[in-house]
Amino acid sequence: MQVEECFNLEKYRVLKAPSSAFYIPNFLTPEDEDSLLSKIYEVPKPKWTILSNRRLQNWGGLPHAKGMVPEVIPSWLNNYVIRVGSLDLFDGKQPNHVLINEYQPSQGIMPHFDGPLFYPTISTITVGSHTLLDFYKPTDETDDGVIGYQNLYIGSFLLERRSLVCFKESMYSSYMHGIKEVFEDNLVDNNILNDVAETSQTLVRGTRLSITIRHFPKVLKFKMKLGH
């Protein structure tokens, strides 16, 4: 998808979701997707951080409460940062940080908030495979300090390959989001909030890469070069 000179973001607002969410199918072309997948997997192994249920790459710097030491984002990735920035999803600010998560089939992430370090807008490109991103309205903390969410599911976004999704305002700050650890997604059993072209009732997951593009406000004044 080439960003139009007068791009109408409102065309992609998800009306069934709480304020505010946008979903752009086919934001990438198949050629874009192939190129991104190739570049991501060409990255040296030390760039990957291995977690218990997935692995990830961090680009742009390591976010910290005291500030982020900026890292130059490579051009193969920064092209998409610029493209997302041109949509003005960040209210005039430019995105400067990318987190790439790899999810194998059956891998997911517990419901969580992204927290206050970033500007309260998140945008994610999906490549490789679909997923269902589930949203929950949290309850008050329990006696052991755990935030409850099990009985407060509000709905899911079907994130199709090559799509871009953006969450702002209450969708960022008031609703937890997560991905179930399953091999396939039954769309009939879920409240799908966004309009999608998919008509199959059950979708089998492949390996998905999420490319999350955000704005980190507190950037320190010196940059870190790649390889140092």
Side-chain angles (χ1 to χ4, degrees), residues 47-66:
K47 187 64 180 175
W48 288 98
T49 298
I50 310 298
L51 304 180
S52 60
N53 61 342
R54 67 189 188 281
R55 61 176 183 161
L56 59 85
Q57 296 177 16
N58 184 86
W59 296 98
L62 290 174
H64 190 277
K66 293 183 178 179

PDB file of all heavy atoms in Angstrom, residues 47-66:
ATOM      1  N   LYS A  47      21.425  -9.997  18.045  1.00  0.00           N
ATOM      2  CA  LYS A  47      20.390  -8.964  18.073  1.00  0.00           C
ATOM      3  C   LYS A  47      19.084  -9.510  18.630  1.00  0.00           C
ATOM      4  O   LYS A  47      18.226  -8.742  19.067  1.00  0.00           O
ATOM      5  CB  LYS A  47      20.175  -8.406  16.658  1.00  0.00           C
ATOM      6  CG  LYS A  47      19.236  -7.200  16.594  1.00  0.00           C
ATOM      7  CD  LYS A  47      19.790  -5.986  17.338  1.00  0.00           C
ATOM      8  CE  LYS A  47      18.845  -4.808  17.261  1.00  0.00           C
ATOM      9  NZ  LYS A  47      19.309  -3.656  18.065  1.00  0.00           N
ATOM     10  N   TRP A  48      18.921 -10.837  18.626  1.00  0.00           N
ATOM     11  CA  TRP A  48      17.712 -11.447  19.166  1.00  0.00           C
ATOM     12  C   TRP A  48      17.804 -11.567  20.683  1.00  0.00           C
ATOM     13  O   TRP A  48      18.831 -11.979  21.219  1.00  0.00           O
ATOM     14  CB  TRP A  48      17.500 -12.846  18.585  1.00  0.00           C
ATOM     15  CG  TRP A  48      17.074 -12.882  17.152  1.00  0.00           C
ATOM     16  CD1 TRP A  48      17.877 -13.085  16.063  1.00  0.00           C
ATOM     17  CD2 TRP A  48      15.739 -12.748  16.642  1.00  0.00           C
ATOM     18  NE1 TRP A  48      17.137 -13.079  14.913  1.00  0.00           N
ATOM     19  CE2 TRP A  48      15.817 -12.875  15.234  1.00  0.00           C
ATOM     20  CE3 TRP A  48      14.494 -12.536  17.239  1.00  0.00           C
ATOM     21  CZ2 TRP A  48      14.691 -12.792  14.412  1.00  0.00           C
ATOM     22  CZ3 TRP A  48      13.380 -12.463  16.428  1.00  0.00           C
ATOM     23  CH2 TRP A  48      13.479 -12.580  15.032  1.00  0.00           C
ATOM     24  N   THR A  49      16.730 -11.229  21.365  1.00  0.00           N
ATOM     25  CA  THR A  49      16.590 -11.496  22.798  1.00  0.00           C
ATOM     26  C   THR A  49      15.650 -12.679  22.953  1.00  0.00           C
ATOM     27  O   THR A  49      14.530 -12.665  22.419  1.00  0.00           O
ATOM     28  CB  THR A  49      16.018 -10.270  23.534  1.00  0.00           C
ATOM     29  OG1 THR A  49      16.925  -9.173  23.392  1.00  0.00           O
ATOM     30  CG2 THR A  49      15.820 -10.579  25.007  1.00  0.00           C
ATOM     31  N   ILE A  50      16.095 -13.713  23.667  1.00  0.00           N
ATOM     32  CA  ILE A  50      15.319 -14.940  23.814  1.00  0.00           C
ATOM     33  C   ILE A  50      14.530 -14.883  25.116  1.00  0.00           C
ATOM     34  O   ILE A  50      15.112 -14.755  26.199  1.00  0.00           O
ATOM     35  CB  ILE A  50      16.228 -16.184  23.808  1.00  0.00           C
ATOM     36  CG1 ILE A  50      17.198 -16.139  22.614  1.00  0.00           C
ATOM     37  CG2 ILE A  50      15.385 -17.445  23.793  1.00  0.00           C
ATOM     38  CD1 ILE A  50      16.520 -16.137  21.268  1.00  0.00           C
ATOM     39  N   LEU A  51      13.202 -14.983  25.021  1.00  0.00           N
ATOM     40  CA  LEU A  51      12.332 -15.063  26.184  1.00  0.00           C
ATOM     41  C   LEU A  51      11.783 -16.483  26.300  1.00  0.00           C
ATOM     42  O   LEU A  51      12.005 -17.311  25.423  1.00  0.00           O
ATOM     43  CB  LEU A  51      11.192 -14.050  26.070  1.00  0.00           C
ATOM     44  CG  LEU A  51      11.602 -12.584  25.881  1.00  0.00           C
ATOM     45  CD1 LEU A  51      10.368 -11.701  25.775  1.00  0.00           C
ATOM     46  CD2 LEU A  51      12.507 -12.113  27.005  1.00  0.00           C
ATOM     47  N   SER A  52      11.053 -16.745  27.359  1.00  0.00           N
ATOM     48  CA  SER A  52      10.560 -18.104  27.584  1.00  0.00           C
ATOM     49  C   SER A  52       9.541 -18.535  26.541  1.00  0.00           C
ATOM     50  O   SER A  52       9.440 -19.724  26.213  1.00  0.00           O
ATOM     51  CB  SER A  52       9.942 -18.213  28.987  1.00  0.00           C
ATOM     52  OG  SER A  52       8.850 -17.310  29.119  1.00  0.00           O
ATOM     53  N   ASN A  53       8.777 -17.587  25.987  1.00  0.00           N
ATOM     54  CA  ASN A  53       7.709 -17.972  25.066  1.00  0.00           C
ATOM     55  C   ASN A  53       7.800 -17.300  23.702  1.00  0.00           C
ATOM     56  O   ASN A  53       6.881 -17.413  22.885  1.00  0.00           O
ATOM     57  CB  ASN A  53       6.346 -17.677  25.687  1.00  0.00           C
ATOM     58  CG  ASN A  53       6.155 -16.201  25.980  1.00  0.00           C
ATOM     59  OD1 ASN A  53       7.126 -15.450  26.030  1.00  0.00           O
ATOM     60  ND2 ASN A  53       4.916 -15.780  26.168  1.00  0.00           N
ATOM     61  N   ARG A  54       8.884 -16.574  23.440  1.00  0.00           N
ATOM     62  CA  ARG A  54       9.056 -15.948  22.132  1.00  0.00           C
ATOM     63  C   ARG A  54      10.453 -15.327  22.094  1.00  0.00           C
ATOM     64  O   ARG A  54      11.170 -15.332  23.089  1.00  0.00           O
ATOM     65  CB  ARG A  54       7.987 -14.869  21.880  1.00  0.00           C
ATOM     66  CG  ARG A  54       8.083 -13.655  22.775  1.00  0.00           C
ATOM     67  CD  ARG A  54       6.873 -12.746  22.620  1.00  0.00           C
ATOM     68  NE  ARG A  54       7.042 -11.493  23.324  1.00  0.00           N
ATOM     69  CZ  ARG A  54       6.892 -11.326  24.634  1.00  0.00           C
ATOM     70  NH1 ARG A  54       6.575 -12.371  25.398  1.00  0.00           N
ATOM     71  NH2 ARG A  54       7.048 -10.143  25.202  1.00  0.00           N
ATOM     72  N   ARG A  55      10.841 -14.785  20.959  1.00  0.00           N
ATOM     73  CA  ARG A  55      12.075 -14.015  20.884  1.00  0.00           C
ATOM     74  C   ARG A  55      11.788 -12.688  20.198  1.00  0.00           C
ATOM     75  O   ARG A  55      10.777 -12.551  19.490  1.00  0.00           O
ATOM     76  CB  ARG A  55      13.189 -14.789  20.182  1.00  0.00           C
ATOM     77  CG  ARG A  55      12.902 -15.185  18.739  1.00  0.00           C
ATOM     78  CD  ARG A  55      14.105 -15.862  18.126  1.00  0.00           C
ATOM     79  NE  ARG A  55      13.893 -16.190  16.724  1.00  0.00           N
ATOM     80  CZ  ARG A  55      14.866 -16.450  15.858  1.00  0.00           C
ATOM     81  NH1 ARG A  55      16.139 -16.428  16.253  1.00  0.00           N
ATOM     82  NH2 ARG A  55      14.591 -16.742  14.599  1.00  0.00           N
ATOM     83  N   LEU A  56      12.670 -11.725  20.368  1.00  0.00           N
ATOM     84  CA  LEU A  56      12.389 -10.378  19.876  1.00  0.00           C
ATOM     85  C   LEU A  56      13.661  -9.637  19.496  1.00  0.00           C
ATOM     86  O   LEU A  56      14.771 -10.002  19.905  1.00  0.00           O
ATOM     87  CB  LEU A  56      11.602  -9.586  20.921  1.00  0.00           C
ATOM     88  CG  LEU A  56      12.221  -9.387  22.306  1.00  0.00           C
ATOM     89  CD1 LEU A  56      13.155  -8.177  22.343  1.00  0.00           C
ATOM     90  CD2 LEU A  56      11.130  -9.228  23.353  1.00  0.00           C
ATOM     91  N   GLN A  57      13.463  -8.598  18.684  1.00  0.00           N
ATOM     92  CA  GLN A  57      14.512  -7.638  18.341  1.00  0.00           C
ATOM     93  C   GLN A  57      14.064  -6.250  18.779  1.00  0.00           C
ATOM     94  O   GLN A  57      12.899  -5.883  18.603  1.00  0.00           O
ATOM     95  CB  GLN A  57      14.771  -7.617  16.830  1.00  0.00           C
ATOM     96  CG  GLN A  57      15.308  -8.908  16.253  1.00  0.00           C
ATOM     97  CD  GLN A  57      15.475  -8.836  14.743  1.00  0.00           C
ATOM     98  OE1 GLN A  57      15.468  -7.746  14.139  1.00  0.00           O
ATOM     99  NE2 GLN A  57      15.598  -9.994  14.104  1.00  0.00           N
ATOM    100  N   ASN A  58      14.983  -5.470  19.308  1.00  0.00           N
ATOM    101  CA  ASN A  58      14.716  -4.110  19.749  1.00  0.00           C
ATOM    102  C   ASN A  58      15.515  -3.148  18.866  1.00  0.00           C
ATOM    103  O   ASN A  58      16.735  -3.290  18.717  1.00  0.00           O
ATOM    104  CB  ASN A  58      15.137  -3.956  21.218  1.00  0.00           C
ATOM    105  CG  ASN A  58      14.798  -2.600  21.778  1.00  0.00           C
ATOM    106  OD1 ASN A  58      13.708  -2.350  22.256  1.00  0.00           O
ATOM    107  ND2 ASN A  58      15.773  -1.689  21.723  1.00  0.00           N
ATOM    108  N   TRP A  59      14.838  -2.171  18.276  1.00  0.00           N
ATOM    109  CA  TRP A  59      15.491  -1.198  17.395  1.00  0.00           C
ATOM    110  C   TRP A  59      15.129   0.226  17.803  1.00  0.00           C
ATOM    111  O   TRP A  59      13.993   0.510  18.162  1.00  0.00           O
ATOM    112  CB  TRP A  59      15.059  -1.411  15.943  1.00  0.00           C
ATOM    113  CG  TRP A  59      15.481  -2.729  15.375  1.00  0.00           C
ATOM    114  CD1 TRP A  59      14.719  -3.864  15.266  1.00  0.00           C
ATOM    115  CD2 TRP A  59      16.748  -3.058  14.822  1.00  0.00           C
ATOM    116  NE1 TRP A  59      15.444  -4.879  14.683  1.00  0.00           N
ATOM    117  CE2 TRP A  59      16.692  -4.410  14.398  1.00  0.00           C
ATOM    118  CE3 TRP A  59      17.945  -2.338  14.636  1.00  0.00           C
ATOM    119  CZ2 TRP A  59      17.774  -5.058  13.806  1.00  0.00           C
ATOM    120  CZ3 TRP A  59      19.008  -2.986  14.047  1.00  0.00           C
ATOM    121  CH2 TRP A  59      18.937  -4.329  13.637  1.00  0.00           C
ATOM    122  N   GLY A  60      16.099   1.105  17.741  1.00  0.00           N
ATOM    123  CA  GLY A  60      15.889   2.518  18.060  1.00  0.00           C
ATOM    124  C   GLY A  60      16.468   2.924  19.392  1.00  0.00           C
ATOM    125  O   GLY A  60      16.617   4.111  19.671  1.00  0.00           O
ATOM    126  N   GLY A  61      16.799   1.930  20.244  1.00  0.00           N
ATOM    127  CA  GLY A  61      17.335   2.211  21.567  1.00  0.00           C
ATOM    128  C   GLY A  61      16.599   1.407  22.613  1.00  0.00           C
ATOM    129  O   GLY A  61      15.523   0.853  22.349  1.00  0.00           O
ATOM    130  N   LEU A  62      17.177   1.332  23.807  1.00  0.00           N
ATOM    131  CA  LEU A  62      16.550   0.606  24.905  1.00  0.00           C
ATOM    132  C   LEU A  62      15.764   1.584  25.763  1.00  0.00           C
ATOM    133  O   LEU A  62      16.347   2.444  26.430  1.00  0.00           O
ATOM    134  CB  LEU A  62      17.611  -0.109  25.749  1.00  0.00           C
ATOM    135  CG  LEU A  62      18.296  -1.303  25.075  1.00  0.00           C
ATOM    136  CD1 LEU A  62      19.429  -1.818  25.958  1.00  0.00           C
ATOM    137  CD2 LEU A  62      17.294  -2.414  24.793  1.00  0.00           C
ATOM    138  N   PRO A  63      14.436   1.491  25.775  1.00  0.00           N
ATOM    139  CA  PRO A  63      13.619   2.413  26.567  1.00  0.00           C
ATOM    140  C   PRO A  63      13.924   2.284  28.055  1.00  0.00           C
ATOM    141  O   PRO A  63      14.090   1.186  28.580  1.00  0.00           O
ATOM    142  CB  PRO A  63      12.183   1.958  26.268  1.00  0.00           C
ATOM    143  CG  PRO A  63      12.279   1.233  24.974  1.00  0.00           C
ATOM    144  CD  PRO A  63      13.614   0.558  24.986  1.00  0.00           C
ATOM    145  N   HIS A  64      14.021   3.413  28.723  1.00  0.00           N
ATOM    146  CA  HIS A  64      14.294   3.441  30.163  1.00  0.00           C
ATOM    147  C   HIS A  64      13.627   4.679  30.741  1.00  0.00           C
ATOM    148  O   HIS A  64      13.489   5.705  30.058  1.00  0.00           O
ATOM    149  CB  HIS A  64      15.808   3.481  30.416  1.00  0.00           C
ATOM    150  CG  HIS A  64      16.186   3.263  31.847  1.00  0.00           C
ATOM    151  ND1 HIS A  64      16.171   4.281  32.779  1.00  0.00           N
ATOM    152  CD2 HIS A  64      16.570   2.145  32.512  1.00  0.00           C
ATOM    153  CE1 HIS A  64      16.547   3.800  33.955  1.00  0.00           C
ATOM    154  NE2 HIS A  64      16.790   2.504  33.816  1.00  0.00           N
ATOM    155  N   ALA A  65      13.215   4.586  31.993  1.00  0.00           N
ATOM    156  CA  ALA A  65      12.530   5.714  32.628  1.00  0.00           C
ATOM    157  C   ALA A  65      13.379   6.983  32.618  1.00  0.00           C
ATOM    158  O   ALA A  65      12.851   8.104  32.580  1.00  0.00           O
ATOM    159  CB  ALA A  65      12.133   5.344  34.049  1.00  0.00           C
ATOM    160  N   LYS A  66      14.706   6.833  32.660  1.00  0.00           N
ATOM    161  CA  LYS A  66      15.591   8.005  32.665  1.00  0.00           C
ATOM    162  C   LYS A  66      15.872   8.534  31.264  1.00  0.00           C
ATOM    163  O   LYS A  66      16.504   9.580  31.112  1.00  0.00           O
ATOM    164  CB  LYS A  66      16.902   7.648  33.364  1.00  0.00           C
ATOM    165  CG  LYS A  66      16.738   7.359  34.856  1.00  0.00           C
ATOM    166  CD  LYS A  66      18.080   7.079  35.506  1.00  0.00           C
ATOM    167  CE  LYS A  66      17.915   6.830  37.005  1.00  0.00           C
ATOM    168  NZ  LYS A  66      19.217   6.538  37.672  1.00  0.00           N
TER     169      LYS A  66
END
